Every structure is written in structure tokens, then in C-alpha cells.
Amino acid sequence: MPRIVALVSAVPEARTVLDLFAGSTRVAQGLKSAGFRVTANDLATYSEVLATAYIATDADSVDVGALEEKLAALDALPGVRGYVTRTFCEEARYFQPMNGARIDAIRAGIDRVAESDTERAILLTALLEAADRVDSTTGLQMAYLKQWAPRSHRPLQLRMPVLLAGAGRALGEDARACVRRGDAFDVAYLDPPYNQHSYFSNYHIWETLVRGDVPAAYGVARKREDCRTTKSAFNQRANAWTALCEVVLGVQARHVVLSFSNEGFFTDVAIRALLAERFDEVAVVPVDSPRYVGARIGIHNPKGERVGEVSHVRNTELLFVAGPDAEAIVERAALTDGAVAAGTGR
Ligand SMILES: C[S@@+](CC[C@H](N)C(=O)[O-])C[C@H]1O[C@@H](n2cnc3c(N)ncnc32)[C@H](O)[C@@H]1O
């Protein structure tokens, strides 16, 4: 995130940024903290909720005392065995049942006490982050740990999210529809899915928590039934290139910063050529990164015994910068970010 913020900060006279695939909103938050006016978009409902809390809400306009009172009352609710307890604590083991029952009670409580969309988003963000701190996974929700994670034994505790001052916007649209709106930005940051692994499935519990629905669940992981049918074009080899072209060629932005893994569907040569169709100059910064957590944990049999090693535990994240003076932007960013300086190569 600091590298991406350094690159965007090196773009001359940039004020407005579109984060088209905002996900956790980590990058969008970094950009807002750096003073940019950020629009965060993502198809996932949980991402739009996070963006409503962290990006669209101006911390200075929030009555923190009133919200803290509501959080304390929600935190004190006795647990109630509901959908989360049954599905994610009994049929699966993502949370300890005592925490699952509190999640059920708090989730229902939020709908009773939230007085606006902003308040609801802040309270849901607090619940999501509290649940995240006591889950029993490696981060992704495609599986839970065979043995309870030590943190899962701790009681769930709601905390006030650290909101950011300033204006921003949260959208929950398909990236292509968002681009077709035609809104103009100084910089667009594009971090699309890079392979077939669906974020909707990998974070299915967050989706269910924020929606507050009770979908049929399937398999050992107890995923929502609609994980079978909710497929992003960016996760499908046959459609991802057309979708990426539509977004890169259609987005109204003077500069584009695009993240892509060297293990993704497309080569760096193909992405560079696509960006060059639209922008005069393209530069690339390779960043050495740890691979996704599953790869680092190794291969295990159904009993949880380690039976194999994955071939490699690091990959290269490619950061493309496209637009006027792209090379100079990368050079300027390197001055403020030692890691970019060490990794620069075109
Ligand atoms: C690589 S992740 C982005 C991570 C993000 N930069 C962060 O800091 O957490 C890709 C994101 O694209 C979203 N996504 C997938 N298909 C989409 C689509 N068609 N339109 C908009 N967002 C989409 C996923 O929900 C996921 O959050």
C-alpha cells in the first residue's frame, strides 16, 4: 500500500483518485490519508460497507460519543444462537460458538439501532473487524483451521473503527458499469482479480455478515449457495481480457496505476501493450511479495498433516504506471519509497 500511495502521490497535480476494485479498502484508506479525494468501488457488499465507513464518511462529521455508546450496548448483548452460530460454528468451525452467538446478537442489534446508512456501515465495520480478530482461519474463508486458532478463544470485542477526515465516495458497482458512468479522475488505481479465485467466495462470511441474510450453505466450507453462480468476468480466463480492456480503455483518468501478479492470467508484455494503446508512456515497477497465505502454509492431508511443500513462497507484484511522464513519476516515487527504488526495472 505505501508503494502505491507513493506512486499516486508522485503524479503531478493529482487530487482525485478512483480505486475501482477497492476490496478491503486498505489502499483507498492510504490514499485518503495522503489527502486525495477517493472514490472506492467494488462489487462485494462488504467492501461497499467498509468504503462507506472509511472513505465516504468524514470523521469530523461523526458523533463519536453517540456511536461509542451504541457499540458498548451492542458489545454487552448476550449471545443468541442464530444463522452464524449454526452455519459457521457448528456445521463449520470458523468461530467459537460463544463468539458466533454474540455475532448473531450484535448483527440483529445493528439493524435495530443504526439511524442512517453511515451509522450502519460504521457499526457493521466494527463487527466485521471484531469477528476477524477472533476467527480460526488463515485469512481466507475457503477453509478453517483443523485446530482452533489461539485467538479464537478470546471473547469478541467491538472497537470504534478509526475513521478518516475528509470527503470521499463509496460505490458498489461492476467495474465496467462504474467506468461507463464517465466520471473523470486524475488517477485511476486498478487492482483487478488476477486469476480464477473468486473474492466473493474467499470472503463469503463477510458477505453474509453485512447482508444479514440466511442463504443455503454448501460443502465443508459452508459457502453461500450463490458463490456457485456469482462469477466475476475478471475471474474467468475466457472473459477477463475483454473486461480488462473495457476498463483500461474506458476509464476517464489522466493516469492509471495498475497492479497485477506475475502469476495472473496475462503477461506483463500484454498488459503493457494494452496500456500503451491508450497512454503515451508506460513504466513498470516489479515488487517482490509473499505469495497468498495458502501457498506459504504448505500442502496438508485431510488429517491436517503436512504432506508436501509448495514450489515457491514469493511472487512479483507488477505495478504499472501509465500516462504523461510515467517514467519520471516512478523516479519521483522512488525518492519517497526505498522499496520502490530497490525494485525499479523497466
Ligand atoms: C485484488 S482484489 C483488490 C484488493 C484491494 N486493492 C485491497 O486493497 O484490498 C480484487 C477486488 O475486485 C473485486 N471485483 C471482482 N470482480 C469485480 C467486478 N466485476 N467489478 C468490481 N469489482 C470486482 C473483488 O470483490 C475484490 O475485492
Side-chain angles (χ1 to χ4, degrees):
M1 184 274 276
R3 287 165 195 164
I4 296 159
V5 174
L7 281 172
V8 175
S9 301
V11 174
E13 293 176 32
R15 300 271 176 278
T16 57
V17 184
L18 168 66
D19 184 350
L20 192 57
F21 302 88
S24 67
T25 71
R26 282 248 192 84
V27 172
Q29 289 180 48
L31 291 165
K32 184 175 172 184
S33 300
F36 294 100
R37 190 188 173 99
V38 179
T39 296
N41 176 71
D42 199 288
L43 208 44
T45 320
Y46 63 81
S47 178
E48 191 184 1
V49 162
L50 293 171
T52 302
Y54 285 120
I55 307 304
T57 302
D58 181 348
D60 293 339
S61 70
V62 169
D63 183 345
V64 176
L67 268 168
E68 279 178 341
E69 268 178 35
K70 286 188 179 176
L71 279 173
L74 290 166
D75 212 25
L77 289 174
V80 176
R81 180 175 174 273
Y83 179 87
V84 168
T85 317
R86 285 196 309 277
T87 315
F88 300 132
C89 309
E90 295 171 4
E91 297 166 16
R93 296 201 310 171
Y94 290 100
F95 307 103
Q96 301 272 353
M98 49 128 185
N99 280 330
R102 293 196 43 226
I103 292 171
D104 275 319
I106 294 168
R107 180 63 192 81
I110 289 174
D111 284 344
R112 287 195 300 272
V113 302
E115 289 173 56
S116 65
D117 287 348
T118 300
E119 230 182 68
R120 181 176 170 277
I122 295 169
L123 298 173
L124 283 173
T125 296
L127 175 58
L128 202 144
E129 292 179 345
D132 192 45
R133 285 192 290 271
V134 296
D135 77 352
S136 191
T137 74
T138 58
L140 301 181
Q141 296 161 354
M142 53 195 190
Y144 46 90
L145 297 172
K146 293 269 174 238
Q147 308 291 333
W148 284 110
R151 67 172 179 275
S152 71
H153 297 279
R154 295 204 302 256
L156 175 123
Q157 193 186 14
L158 295 177
R159 291 184 202 154
M160 179 70 190
V162 182
L163 303 176
L164 305 169
R169 197 159 50 135
L171 299 172
E173 298 182 345
D174 183 286
R176 291 162 298 177
C178 186
V179 159
R180 281 196 295 270
R181 281 168 167 260
D183 297 349
F185 301 90
D186 297 323
V187 183
Y189 172 57
L190 311 182
D191 186 16
Y194 60 89
N195 62 19
Q196 72 282 11
H197 297 298
S198 155
Y199 287 81
F200 189 81
S201 286
N202 281 345
Y203 297 103
H204 63 100
I205 298 177
W206 298 157
E207 196 65 24
T208 301
L209 262 194
V210 301
R211 289 193 193 188
D213 56 359
V214 291
Y218 68 94
V220 177
R222 310 312 290 148
K223 290 184 179 176
R224 316 167 45 89
E225 187 65 31
D226 55 2
C227 287
R228 295 186 202 270
T229 48
T230 308
K231 301 286 177 210
S232 166
F234 292 89
N235 288 128
Q236 298 168 329
R237 192 178 273 281
N239 299 319
W241 182 249
T242 310
L244 187 66
C245 290
E246 200 177 321
V247 160
V248 167
L249 300 178
V251 71
Q252 295 295 311
R254 184 160 39 88
H255 287 85
V256 160
V257 175
L258 189 152
S259 295
F260 213 73
S261 164
N262 70 333
E263 297 185 2
F265 285 152
F266 317 120
T267 64
D268 55 342
V269 175
I271 295 174
R272 184 191 263 275
L274 171 60
L275 289 165
E277 262 186 56
R278 162 92 191 279
F279 299 94
D280 294 344
E281 219 179 292
V282 182
V284 189
V285 184
V287 181
D288 179 48
S289 318
R291 278 182 96 207
Y292 76 103
V293 68
R296 283 179 280 139
I297 287 167
I299 300 165
H300 295 75
N301 68 17
K303 289 188 198 148
E305 296 155 347
R306 193 167 177 133
V307 291
E309 294 295 328
V310 287
S311 56
H312 55 295
V313 291
R314 299 196 70 81
N315 67 340
T316 305
E317 180 83 11
L318 299 169
L319 284 174
F320 297 83
V321 181
D325 298 322
E327 303 267 354
I329 289 167
V330 169
E331 297 293 341
R332 254 199 310 282
L335 295 176
T336 57
D337 178 2
V340 169
T344 300
R346 276 156 232 141

